Amino acid sequence: MADRTKNIVRAVSDYGKGLFNFIRGKVTTEADAEDILQDVWCQLSNIDDTDEIEQLRGWLFKVARNKIIDKSRKKTEQLIDDLVDADDDEEEFNLADVLLPDANDPETEYIKDLFWQELFIALDELPENQKQVFVWSELEDKALQQIADETGEKLKTIISRKGYAVKYLRSRLKTLYHEFLDY
């Protein structure tokens, strides 16, 4: 595990700037480049043994190129409600079910507190721009257009950042959510 982490850190250090510049030259905004670069690093971090990649630099640029192509093929941004997999038979993750339950017993309050703690831990794991958009939108109840206007970013960029955050948080908090429903 430590070697894997060192390999990823070394890859970010050795190739991060060049990879970002490559991506930035192919997309319209810096925010899109940051999002694609993050996707590349996520894909690398999901590989169990990075030593198996013979040409890491070439692999990273190939993944980046594929992500750029995927983004350019995407005609419309996904709606937040569409982020749940259509073929997922499990019940949809709904934050309101956890945070606003009908019961006010001590156990429910404990689970609610636990969920808030885990939510903030998971939020801290997000890139700052995704975290901020999620917090403004979901916790401070700002409209996405208002966030775009205040930050000077395109609305589609804001939607994309929130989408990535929601997708990550759903995945990260899914176990806790199911434990809450089963208690």
Side-chain angles (χ1 to χ4, degrees), residues 54 90 99 130 169-170:
E54 293 179 12
E90 297 181 27
L99 301 178
Q130 292 177 16
L169 292 171
R170 280 185 177 153

Side-chain angles (χ1 to χ4, degrees), residues 100-154:
L100 304 171
D102 294 332
N104 276 334
D105 58 66
E107 188 175 1
T108 302
E109 290 301 316
Y110 169 76
I111 292 174
K112 214 160 75 167
D113 289 342
L114 178 64
F115 187 86
W116 275 106
Q117 290 172 6
E118 289 298 315
L119 174 64
F120 285 114
I121 290 169
L123 281 171
D124 285 339
E125 295 169 358
L126 289 170
E128 188 60 33
N129 57 10
Q130 292 177 16
K131 173 185 172 181
Q132 198 60 58
V133 168
F134 182 86
V135 168
W136 284 333
S137 174
E138 294 298 321
L139 303 180
E140 296 179 12
D141 204 28
K142 286 187 179 182
L144 295 178
Q145 184 61 58
Q146 179 185 359
I147 296 169
D149 293 342
E150 289 175 3
T151 61
E153 299 279 353
K154 291 182 180 178

Side-chain angles (χ1 to χ4, degrees), residues 16 35 47 49 71 82 86 92-93 96 100 104 125 143 145 148 158 161-162 182:
D35 290 343
I47 294 177
D49 188 4
K71 183 159 187 68
D82 294 339
E92 182 179 334
F93 177 84
L100 304 171
N104 276 334
E125 295 169 358
Q145 184 61 58
I158 299 299
R161 287 180 181 163
K162 182 175 178 189
D182 293 339

Side-chain angles (χ1 to χ4, degrees), residues 1 27 31 34-35 38 54 56 75 86 140 143 156 163 172:
M1 185 67 164
V27 297
E34 290 171 356
D35 290 343
Q38 177 189 339
E54 293 179 12
L56 183 58
K75 300 294 184 207
E140 296 179 12
K156 286 185 177 184
R172 172 74 166 66

Side-chain angles (χ1 to χ4, degrees), residues 39-113:
D39 288 346
V40 172
W41 297 133
C42 285
Q43 190 164 338
L44 178 63
S45 70
N46 287 329
I47 294 177
D48 291 331
D49 188 4
T50 56
D51 290 333
E52 290 181 6
I53 302 172
E54 293 179 12
Q55 296 290 329
L56 183 58
R57 183 181 186 278
W59 184 89
L60 289 168
F61 279 81
K62 183 175 183 178
V63 170
R65 188 173 24 263
N66 290 341
K67 299 283 182 191
I68 293 165
I69 291 168
D70 290 345
K71 183 159 187 68
S72 69
R73 286 182 181 159
K74 193 175 181 184
K75 300 294 184 207
T76 59
E77 294 291 333
Q78 288 180 310
L79 297 174
I80 300 305
D81 295 335
D82 294 339
L83 290 174
V84 175
D85 294 334
D87 58 341
D88 191 2
D89 292 336
E90 297 181 27
E91 187 176 323
E92 182 179 334
F93 177 84
N94 186 349
L95 194 59
D97 289 346
V98 175
L99 301 178
L100 304 171
D102 294 332
N104 276 334
D105 58 66
E107 188 175 1
T108 302
E109 290 301 316
Y110 169 76
I111 292 174
K112 214 160 75 167
D113 289 342

Side-chain angles (χ1 to χ4, degrees), residues 158-173:
I158 299 299
I159 291 170
S160 177
R161 287 180 181 163
K162 182 175 178 189
Y164 286 126
V166 168
K167 194 179 241 182
Y168 176 79
L169 292 171
R170 280 185 177 153
S171 172
R172 172 74 166 66
L173 300 173

